[in-house]
Amino acid sequence: MTIFQVASPLITIAAQTRQAASKLAILSTEAKNQALVAIAQALESAKDEILQANVADCEAATAVGIPKPLYKRLQLDEHKLRDAIAGVRDVGKLDDPVGKVQIHRELDTGLILKRITCPLGVVGIIFEARPEAAIQIVSLAIKSGNGVILKGGKEAVRSCEAIIKVIKQGLSHTAVNPDAVQLLTTREETLELLKLDKYVDLIIPRGSNSFVRFVQENTRIPVLGHAEGICHLYIDQAADISKAVSVTVDAKAQYAAVCNAIETLLVHSSIATEFLPKVADALQECHVELRGDKSTLEILPDIVTATETDWETEYSDFILSIKIVNSLEDAIAHINEYGSRHTDAIISEDLTAVETFFGLVNSANIFHNCSTRFADGFRYGFGAEVGISTQQMPPRGPVGLEGLVTYKYQMTGDGHIVATYTGANAKAFTHQDLG
C-alpha cells in the first residue's frame, strides 16, 4: 500500500515562492522596475487602509503594555509611509545588481569563463515591529530577483497583512508573480520556516539579541543579521565642543528606539569639565536620562550612577550612559570590549586621532564628526535595506541589493577537454582577461 505524505501548508507556500522566484530571476530590469512602480502606486492608493490597520495594531499593543521602544517602532504615520513609498521608487532607480559580469577571462582560445551575478533565490526575513520594513524588504527583493517570505512581529500583524495584500494586488498587474512575496503570521510558522533549507536560501532576523541567537542556533539555513546596536560616540580631546554637543543630541535623541542610536558617550578627561555640563543640559531638554561613571558624577552629581551592566545594554530608549576616559586608546578599548560592531563615531579635529580610531575600531560603520544615525541603507543611497549586518564577512553594515545577490561561473568551449592540458605534452592556459 502506498502512503502519501501531505505537504504542510508552509511547505506549499515555500515551494510556490521558489517557483515564482525562479521566473523573477530572469526578468528584465524594465519588468522589475515596472513592478516597483506598480507597488508604489498601490501603496499610495491604499494609504488610508494601511494607516488604519496600524492604528488598530497600536491600540492593541497599548492594551497589553508593549515596551515604549517597541511601540515607537510599531507606529506607522503618514510621514513614515510616504518615505517608505519613496524608497520603493528609489530602488527602481538603482542599477540592476543581476547579470553583472565580474570576471571575463579566456582560459584558452575558444574557452571562455565568466563570473556573473545572480539572485540568491528565496530569502526569509523575520522582523519585529516596524511594518514599513516590509515595504523596504519587498522592493529590494524584487529588484534583486529574489522571492521573499516575511514574518513580522505579532504586534504588527494587521499592518503587515494590509501592506502585503496591497503589494500583491499591485504585482498582479505586472510580470512578477505575486507568489514571490509571502507573509507568515504565527510563531509556529517561524519555527517551521527555519527548517525549510530546501526552499529558503538565506534568513535575515531583525530583532533582539536573544531572538537572533535563537534563529542562528535553530536553522541550517545561512543567517545574516545583527543582534544588538550598542553604539558609541567618543568625544576626543581635540573635539569642537559645539559640534560635539549637536552630534551627541542627534545621535541619542533624534530617534532613540533604533539600533543606530548611541547608548554610551565616551568623553576625554581633558575636556570633560567644559563639555559635560553643556551636553547634559541639551540632552536633558530632550528628556534623556543620564547615567555616569564615578568621574562623570563628580562633574554631573545629579545623574544616576552607571553600573557594569549599563556598558553592555542596548536601551533603545531615552537613556544614555557616560564614561570619562583618559586617552583615545582607552576609548577604543572600551568600544571593542562592549560594542556590538554596529556603528561607532569620533568627534575630533585631529586627523591622526581619527585615522587611529578608524583603523582600530572593528565596527561595520565608523564615523567622524557626524551622527551614528546616518548608518542606514536609505541614507547611504541604497534605496532601502533588508537589515544591518555586523558580521565580519561581507555583506557588512546596511545591506541593500548587493547583499541579496551571489554569482555563478559560466564557461563556454568548443569541444575542449581537460586531457589537453595535462600530462607530458600539456598545453598551457592563456588566462587572459578580456574587456
Side-chain angles (χ1 to χ4, degrees):
M1 181 176 68
T2 303
I3 299 176
F4 294 98
Q5 186 173 2
V6 179
S8 74
L10 185 52
I11 289 178
T12 301
I13 289 171
Q16 290 172 343
T17 308
R18 195 152 197 74
Q19 185 175 12
S22 67
K23 296 177 180 177
L24 173 57
I26 57 174
L27 282 184
S28 68
T29 302
E30 182 182 7
K32 291 187 289 188
N33 287 344
Q34 287 172 348
L36 293 175
V37 170
I39 287 173
Q41 291 173 341
L43 289 169
E44 284 174 337
S45 297
K47 178 182 66 175
D48 292 342
E49 176 187 343
I50 293 168
L51 294 177
Q52 286 169 8
N54 184 251
V55 168
D57 278 334
C58 290
E59 289 174 350
T62 301
V64 298
I66 187 173
K68 187 169 67 172
L70 198 60
Y71 184 84
K72 286 286 290 182
R73 293 198 291 270
L74 173 62
Q75 283 184 304
L76 179 64
D77 59 22
E78 192 167 341
H79 302 296
K80 278 188 183 178
L81 183 57
R82 179 200 62 204
D83 290 346
I85 294 170
V88 176
R89 290 196 163 96
D90 286 340
V91 170
K93 298 171 187 174
L94 298 174
D95 286 344
D96 193 334
V98 177
K100 301 291 186 184
V101 179
Q102 297 178 326
I103 294 175
H104 188 196
R105 182 172 297 156
E106 177 194 87
L107 305 189
D108 193 9
T109 303
L111 186 62
I112 307 299
L113 174 72
K114 289 183 180 180
R115 189 171 82 185
I116 300 180
T117 57
C118 61
L120 291 172
V122 175
V123 181
I125 303 185
I126 311 167
F127 59 99
E128 279 185 329
R130 292 176 59 191
E132 71 271 22
I135 298 172
Q136 299 173 350
I137 292 162
V138 168
S139 62
L140 290 170
I142 289 173
K143 184 69 180 235
S144 58
N146 290 286
V148 63
I149 300 176
L150 296 161
K151 169 61 175 71
K154 63 181 180 180
E155 66 284 340
V157 66
R158 298 171 186 82
S159 305
C160 290
E161 285 178 334
I163 287 168
I164 298 304
K165 184 185 82 170
V166 170
I167 286 174
K168 282 176 166 285
Q169 288 171 347
L171 290 177
S172 66
H173 304 292
T174 74
V176 176
N177 186 335
D179 284 345
V181 179
Q182 305 285 0
L183 176 69
L184 310 182
T185 57
T186 69
R187 176 177 169 79
E188 290 71 29
E189 288 174 319
T190 302
L191 297 174
E192 190 176 352
L193 175 66
L194 299 180
K195 300 174 183 176
L196 298 184
D197 51 303
K198 180 179 178 181
Y199 301 98
V200 180
D201 301 282
L202 180 68
I203 293 285
I204 303 178
R206 295 172 55 159
S208 67
N209 185 21
S210 58
F211 172 68
V212 173
R213 188 173 294 117
F214 173 84
V215 170
Q216 292 169 333
E217 293 172 353
N218 286 276
T219 187
R220 292 183 296 187
I221 304 168
V223 176
L224 182 151
H226 78 279
E228 294 175 300
I230 303 178
C231 303
H232 299 78
L233 180 62
Y234 167 58
I235 311 302
D236 185 49
Q237 61 182 335
D240 177 303
I241 298 296
S242 174
K243 197 178 295 182
V245 171
S246 174
V247 172
T248 302
V249 171
D250 186 85
K252 177 72 256 184
Q254 193 272 335
Y255 190 5
V258 287
C259 59
N260 58 16
I262 60 170
E263 309 295 8
T264 298
L265 179 67
L266 302 172
V267 182
H268 196 285
S269 56
S270 66
I271 64 162
T273 303
E274 179 185 2
F275 170 71
L276 284 176
K278 294 179 180 178
V279 79
D281 286 345
L283 288 167
Q284 287 166 345
E285 281 185 18
C286 299
H287 309 290
V288 176
E289 176 191 321
L290 302 179
R291 302 178 182 180
D293 68 344
K294 182 179 177 181
S295 298
T296 301
L297 263 65
E298 291 175 1
I299 301 171
L300 304 174
D302 297 328
I303 70 172
V304 177
T305 302
T307 67
E308 180 73 13
T309 302
D310 286 301
W311 309 132
E312 53 194 26
T313 298
E314 180 182 15
Y315 303 114
S316 299
D317 202 351
F318 285 87
I319 304 171
L320 181 66
S321 295
I322 304 174
K323 182 178 183 179
I324 293 177
V325 294
N326 292 320
S327 66
L328 169 65
E329 291 71 25
D330 286 349
I332 292 170
H334 181 97
I335 291 169
N336 288 338
E337 172 69 21
Y338 295 101
S340 59
R341 298 185 177 183
H342 189 298
T343 305
D344 298 289
I346 179 174
I347 306 298
S348 180
E349 303 304 311
D350 179 352
L351 294 183
T352 300
V354 173
E355 289 174 4
T356 300
F357 189 88
F358 277 14
L360 296 180
V361 172
N362 190 18
S363 297
N365 307 279
I366 313 174
F367 296 168
H368 170 219
N369 283 357
C370 58
S371 171
T372 56
R373 290 280 291 112
F374 283 107
D376 175 84
F378 178 77
R379 295 185 180 108
Y380 280 11
F382 297 168
E385 66 184 38
V386 292
I388 289 185
S389 172
T390 54
Q391 64 186 18
Q392 288 294 96
M393 294 294 291
R396 207 177 184 207
V399 178
L401 292 172
E402 84 292 339
L404 296 177
V405 295
T406 183
Y407 52 79
K408 60 179 70 172
Y409 289 94
Q410 299 178 359
M411 192 180 298
T412 301
D414 187 18
H416 291 75
I417 59 174
V418 168
T420 306
Y421 305 92
T422 60
N425 298 312
K427 186 178 182 184
F429 290 105
T430 58
H431 285 160
Q432 178 181 351
D433 286 331
L434 304 175

